[in-house]
Amino acid sequence: GYPYQWNLIDDILHNWPVNAYRTPAEKLHVGLCQFDYKNRANEVPFVMKGDPEVARTVERWNYEDYMQRLMGNVPHRCEHSPNNHFMYWLKPTAKTPPTHKRFVNQKFGTKILRPDNWTEPTKLLRMKYIDWLKHANVTDDRLLGPDMEHWYYRLIGCGAMGPQCDKGSSEYLFDELIFFQPKPGGLYLVEHEKQKGIHCRFGMKGVIAGKRNIHAPCTCDEKRVLIVVFSFFSSHFPSENHFDGSRNSIALLGGERRYILAHPDQCIPMALYPKEHPSARHSAVDWTRPEEYLDEYPEFRNAMANEVVLQPGDVLYLPTNWFHYIVSLELNFQCNTRSGVGFEYMEPLKRCGF
């Protein structure tokens, strides 16, 4: 079926370990079709290329000092991690009795138990863009190891959610990314009236060397898509494997990001934290060393996936409940928007407790 998938451990993670930024693989296991501008598929993942509106944003955002002038001195959300992992988590509420340490997961309507010895995996900060850039714009590879500090920056354009959705809401994103404006007939918003803002994330920079060779885009009649060949060095910055409960369009506007993707029917093999966990819907397995988790989560051995490297101007569409694991290959910026919930892939999530 589409997209073609490979064994996650044996084929994808062994071929290019997510921490092996100094020795990248010569091939990728790409299962997605790529569409030229104005053509799109239905509720399946795909990559859109050649959108002139996206290209114009890429050109502006990569112009020297443009982002600093755009954001000025307004502090925005930033996450800090002592390493290169940024695990999603929910914060306990102040009203929670300390003896129970429970809090409510609004996504699933369940109370969450704090596991024994659990600590917040990241710190939530507010920071000016120029200050984040001082941390992120690092070219010395020795300072970008997996055990070094990392910072992850974020802008939010609230739109119809109202400016109360974020302090210092960046409403100018709707002018910057006109292709994500909530209007009928757009390529990227299936139900434009259900849009949940525009969210932009900035990942830390890596080091690139060498050349890149890419095969021509596949045709969607092929059951097995050609493997794309790359040759470059890069740092990395992973966002742990998870699914989102809505449709998601993701535009890469600078740098490169590697996405490892999986069908919702891989829910059980993905070994997710349950609804009651602070990091619910995220994989309990550390993909940088998956073999160490196989005794506890033997089902992970059978997980299937594919991958793609997004480049500036690419837009990745993910239907509701599709898994994705993200690795920043260099300093990059990506913006995404969501547009309602599709019900095509609910059953596999129900079978594994969601």
Side-chain angles (χ1 to χ4, degrees):
Y2 175 85
Y4 191 87
Q5 299 188 107
W6 290 261
N7 184 271
L8 177 58
I9 294 180
D10 295 338
D11 296 320
I12 295 178
L13 297 182
H14 282 177
N15 176 65
W16 189 5
V18 294
N19 264 348
Y21 56 87
R22 293 182 179 88
T23 54
E26 295 182 353
K27 64 182 180 180
L28 292 179
H29 297 81
V30 179
L32 298 190
C33 286
Q34 299 176 3
F35 291 89
D36 292 328
Y37 174 57
K38 293 186 178 179
N39 293 294
R40 63 159 289 162
N42 293 318
E43 285 302 297
V44 294
F46 61 88
V47 175
M48 182 75 72
K49 289 182 172 288
D51 187 332
E53 292 181 348
V54 180
R56 284 191 284 270
T57 302
V58 169
E59 183 178 8
R60 288 196 309 276
W61 282 30
N62 285 275
Y63 192 80
E64 185 177 5
D65 294 331
Y66 184 85
M67 301 307 291
Q68 172 58 31
R69 295 198 302 270
L70 183 67
M71 286 182 255
N73 291 319
V74 178
H76 292 285
R77 296 188 187 195
C78 184
E79 291 181 64
H80 171 262
S81 175
N83 51 51
N84 64 349
H85 289 268
F86 281 77
M87 173 64 81
Y88 163 91
W89 57 278
L90 289 175
K91 184 178 181 180
T93 63
K95 297 179 181 179
T96 301
T99 54
H100 292 89
K101 296 183 179 179
R102 295 172 181 261
F103 56 98
V104 176
N105 183 333
Q106 296 179 355
K107 291 181 181 296
F108 304 114
T110 58
K111 288 187 176 181
I112 302 299
L113 291 172
R114 182 189 294 267
D116 293 339
N117 302 318
W118 181 86
T119 59
E120 298 174 353
T122 61
K123 297 299 182 184
L124 307 181
L125 313 170
R126 283 199 172 264
M127 184 179 291
K128 298 176 183 178
Y129 173 77
I130 190 64
D131 294 328
W132 172 81
L133 192 61
K134 292 175 183 177
H135 291 297
N137 194 17
V138 178
T139 57
D140 187 343
D141 195 45
R142 294 170 298 178
L143 303 177
L144 290 169
D147 296 322
M148 300 293 186
E149 291 181 290
H150 286 71
W151 286 262
Y152 202 24
Y153 203 64
R154 182 177 179 184
L155 302 180
I156 302 176
C158 295
M161 295 189 295
Q164 70 279 2
C165 85
D166 186 52
K167 181 180 179 181
S169 174
S170 306
E171 298 310 293
Y172 52 78
L173 290 174
F174 289 90
D175 296 322
E176 287 288 323
L177 286 70
I178 60 175
F179 48 90
F180 279 169
Q181 290 179 356
K183 52 189 177 183
L187 281 171
Y188 308 115
L189 278 75
V190 178
E191 295 179 277
H192 68 278
E193 68 280 4
K194 296 183 179 179
Q195 185 189 40
K196 297 296 184 182
I198 296 175
H199 303 259
C200 296
R201 294 169 172 83
F202 298 70
M204 288 181 63
K205 183 179 182 179
V207 179
I208 302 177
K211 64 181 180 178
R212 181 179 301 107
N213 299 303
I214 307 176
H215 289 299
C218 69
T219 63
C220 289
D221 292 333
E222 297 175 300
K223 292 184 178 179
R224 184 167 181 150
V225 182
L226 289 174
I227 291 177
V228 183
V229 179
F230 287 82
S231 176
F232 62 93
F233 283 94
S234 57
S235 181
H236 89 295
F237 187 79
S239 176
E240 309 298 343
N241 177 59
H242 65 284
F243 71 88
D244 291 316
S246 56
R247 305 181 184 96
N248 202 355
S249 290
I250 304 154
L252 194 69
L253 303 172
E256 291 184 326
R257 285 193 176 200
R258 177 190 182 194
Y259 273 76
I260 302 177
L261 309 172
H263 193 287
D265 65 11
Q266 296 301 298
C267 186
I268 292 176
M270 285 297 171
L272 304 182
Y273 284 123
K275 290 187 292 185
E276 298 77 18
H277 193 278
S279 297
R281 71 188 171 86
H282 288 64
S283 180
V285 175
D286 181 350
W287 287 22
T288 65
R289 44 195 180 96
E291 282 85 359
E292 296 179 23
Y293 289 76
L294 292 180
D295 286 344
E296 186 174 1
Y297 303 105
E299 67 273 23
F300 191 72
R301 166 64 69 185
N302 300 317
M304 303 290 287
N306 62 79
E307 60 186 333
V308 64
V309 169
L310 296 186
Q311 298 173 319
D314 291 348
V315 181
L316 171 65
Y317 177 75
L318 290 179
T320 302
N321 293 340
W322 279 72
F323 291 100
H324 46 293
Y325 181 99
I326 310 164
V327 184
S328 289
L329 299 177
E330 54 181 315
L331 190 145
N332 64 86
F333 19 101
Q334 156 207 298
C335 295
N336 74 290
T337 191
R338 297 176 183 170
S339 58
V341 177
F343 296 92
E344 296 83 359
Y345 301 105
M346 292 297 181
E347 192 57 36
L349 274 298
K350 290 180 182 178
R351 290 197 296 267
C352 64
F354 295 91

